[in-house]
Amino acid sequence: MAEKQFTLKVFRFDPDRDTTPHYDTFTVPLREGLTVLEALFYVVEEHDPSLSFRYSCRGAVCGSCAMYINGSNRLACQTQVASLKAATVEVGPLPFLPLIKDLVVEMAPFYEKMAQVRPYLITGDSPPQREYRQSPKERKLLDSVTDCIWCAACYSACPVVWGDREYLGPAALVKAYRFAVDSRDQGGGERLKPTDAEEGLWRCHTVFNCVEVCPREINQTEAIEGLRRRTLKRRLGWK
């Protein structure tokens, strides 16, 4: 029986050698459970060791291997080739982030947006004198928004980001909401200030691209709406 194979079409650009981007095509053996990340390893080991891409955990936890795979932002380690149901798998870098080389993009613009919302617990104690207790009911408010792995898939897929590079983006707004609803956080208005701005939560057009591509199934749009409600209450002086 002939070995099953598929075609892997990979975006290539080396700023030291290339003037324009191009795609290289490779034939890769297809086996049960093969992920796109493993297919890229096969290319490096068997065809071209110069191919550049990021990876770390291989378990859909670190977010390093977010790429543009067959028309959608996905984690390469999480995406099985068979699930794509395509004879050709096309892999490119995350769109709308500065390109460094091949499948590697510059993440600094994304990290800068995340830093603006101060994605950490703000409290009055430094260092804390005791543990911060939280009831199961209070903790449940965080259940849907604590799983962000900073992969930038939602940021890259957001049409507002495409046209406005100053926009905070869905990941940063979700992170702001995550701490705004945390009963232990004392950031209050200080935390909401950067989100309640021209380039903040009011820029969201509710397109749901972010929800569609999130590998952790976070509902960013719902979180942004929750942040809007909290912001309006703050403006009106409501608790």
Side-chain angles (χ1 to χ4, degrees), residues 74-110:
R74 313 170 194 261
L75 296 183
C77 71
Q78 189 182 51
T79 305
Q80 295 201 5
V81 173
S83 70
L84 298 173
K85 299 179 180 179
T88 299
V89 175
E90 184 174 309
V91 183
L94 285 179
F96 301 99
L97 282 166
L99 180 63
I100 296 177
K101 181 186 177 186
D102 295 340
L103 303 175
V104 180
V105 295
E106 175 57 74
M107 296 288 285
F110 172 72

Side-chain angles (χ1 to χ4, degrees), residues 33-39 60 65 67 69-70 72-84 89 215:
L34 182 74
T35 66
V36 172
L37 183 61
E38 291 170 325
C65 66
M67 303 174 190
I69 302 171
N70 275 22
S72 182
N73 292 348
R74 313 170 194 261
L75 296 183
C77 71
Q78 189 182 51
T79 305
Q80 295 201 5
V81 173
S83 70
L84 298 173
V89 175

Side-chain angles (χ1 to χ4, degrees), residues 208-224:
F208 289 95
N209 279 15
C210 51
V211 179
E212 291 181 5
V213 302
C214 181
R216 302 310 295 265
E217 299 183 351
I218 297 171
N219 191 327
Q220 292 93 339
T221 303
E222 182 178 66
I224 292 170

Side-chain angles (χ1 to χ4, degrees), residues 126-141:
S126 184
Q129 301 302 308
R130 59 179 178 80
E131 64 182 14
Y132 296 113
R133 296 184 178 182
Q134 198 169 48
S135 70
K137 182 178 180 180
E138 290 170 334
R139 178 58 180 78
K140 190 171 181 60
L141 294 175

